[in-house]
Amino acid sequence: MFARFANALATSALAALLLLPSGAAKAQAQPASPYVVPNYWDPNVRVERPDPGPPRVIRFLTDDDFPPMHFATPEGGVTGFSVELARAVCEKLVLSCTIQARRFDTLLDSLAEGRGDVLAAAIPVTSELRSRFAASQIYHRSPARLLTTRGNARADIELVGLRGTRVAVIAGTAHEAFLERLAPFIQRRAAPDLQAALALLRSGDAEYVFGDGVALALTIAGRGGSEFAFAGGPYLEARYFGEGVGFLLRKDDLALKRAIDYALQGLWDDGTYARLFIRFFPVSPF
């Protein structure tokens, strides 16, 4: 399932490949902190609570096979970062909501055909999706990161500092395209999947792995992951790594979209967003 999301990101990014300015390859600066929670909201922008429209039960649709964003519980329910954020939105707006899991490949059609009102699933927002649906404020992005062995990790490393080093990357992804265009001075080691890239790192055939930050954070948090650490900061170039993830709605439901945007801002302000992020991402991808 993770590969499905990663491939969607790669496809949308590769479709819009453009040469970025020369300084764009530098990792975005982040506060020095053992754990970073991303902030997608402008503190200077405040809006009054909008009317979400006539009273009704808001039907959220999701998938149950993509941890940590949305996945099945042992009790037969569904949880995950997107799911619990949707529940928090409903609580903030005092709305009656249901959350139903459907097969991932049916979600967009189910929304378009009125079998649900909002998608709470990790579907990257693209220009094509915006032509079909309305999207809320982005609430999640998956940055690119460098992973290395713990003893080799440096917080201040930048791509220019990797000249001549061997970097494993999954073939055919936006991450490979990013390195090919913006870091031709490294020695790329193409791998068919993440496990193969990690094997190159473990064997010494690569000194770093460059890939999806969420997948790499889950690797660090998982069994045996203590041997790895991030190096440098996150890379957030949207032309390669996508706009991010928001709640998707039909275009005729703009009142509800505005209400969700208002709720998301409030959930950031009151700390709920940060608590949920830390709960579902034990290692921050940022």
Side-chain angles (χ1 to χ4, degrees):
M1 180 66 196
F2 188 90
R4 180 169 60 198
F5 180 38
N7 287 340
L9 277 174
T11 300
S12 63
L14 284 168
L17 275 182
L18 293 171
L19 182 60
L20 300 179
S22 59
K26 183 177 179 179
Q28 306 264 331
Q30 296 289 329
S33 170
Y35 193 98
V36 176
V37 177
N39 178 8
Y40 303 106
W41 294 274
D42 185 343
N44 298 314
V45 175
R46 289 293 180 270
V47 295
E48 293 184 4
R49 177 182 175 131
D51 183 352
R56 56 175 169 146
V57 175
I58 306 301
R59 301 164 298 166
F60 282 82
L61 301 178
T62 190
D63 166 85
D64 63 1
D65 190 26
F66 184 29
M69 299 299 286
H70 32 84
F71 56 96
T73 67
E75 297 77 23
V78 62
T79 189
F81 181 61
S82 289
V83 173
E84 298 308 325
L85 195 61
R87 290 190 170 115
V89 163
C90 293
E91 184 176 345
K92 177 69 73 174
L93 296 173
V94 196
L95 293 176
S96 296
C97 298
T98 63
I99 299 180
Q100 180 182 6
R102 290 177 176 264
R103 206 173 68 229
F104 185 86
D105 60 359
T106 69
L107 289 176
L108 293 175
D109 286 342
S110 293
L111 177 62
E113 295 165 9
R115 294 193 291 272
D117 303 304
V118 187
L119 291 192
I123 299 176
V125 175
T126 63
S127 58
E128 180 183 358
L129 274 184
R130 288 188 185 278
S131 71
R132 296 181 60 194
F133 303 103
S136 76
Q137 163 70 40
I138 295 298
Y139 65 81
H140 174 74
R141 293 184 69 184
S142 190
R145 294 299 303 265
L146 283 164
L147 184 81
T148 188
T149 54
R150 187 161 293 276
N152 191 43
R154 286 175 47 197
D156 61 348
I157 194 71
E158 297 178 3
L159 282 181
V160 68
L162 299 181
R163 185 175 299 275
T165 60
R166 302 180 303 278
V167 179
V169 63
I170 300 175
T173 62
H175 302 91
E176 183 183 45
F178 178 86
L179 291 182
E180 182 178 6
R181 184 67 65 90
L182 296 170
F185 43 79
I186 67 166
Q187 299 181 43
R188 293 192 310 279
R189 296 289 187 266
D193 52 39
L194 179 57
Q195 291 308 311
L198 293 173
L200 290 173
L201 179 60
R202 286 190 175 102
S203 70
D205 289 333
E207 296 157 86
Y208 296 90
V209 171
F210 186 70
D212 182 87
V214 171
L216 296 177
L218 293 176
T219 296
I220 295 171
R223 183 178 301 176
S226 60
E227 64 182 302
F228 301 122
F230 283 131
Y235 296 83
L236 296 166
E237 285 74 11
R239 288 172 178 168
Y240 289 86
F241 310 126
E243 293 183 44
V245 172
F247 294 113
L248 295 178
L249 307 89
R250 288 183 298 279
K251 285 192 169 185
D252 61 1
D253 220 347
L254 293 182
L256 180 57
K257 175 203 172 306
R258 287 191 291 268
I260 289 175
D261 285 340
Y262 166 85
L264 287 171
Q265 172 79 69
L267 294 173
W268 170 260
D269 291 342
D270 68 17
T272 300
Y273 179 92
R275 289 192 292 273
L276 290 174
F277 192 86
I278 293 168
R279 172 181 168 187
F280 288 103
F281 296 92
V283 174
S284 173
F286 291 85

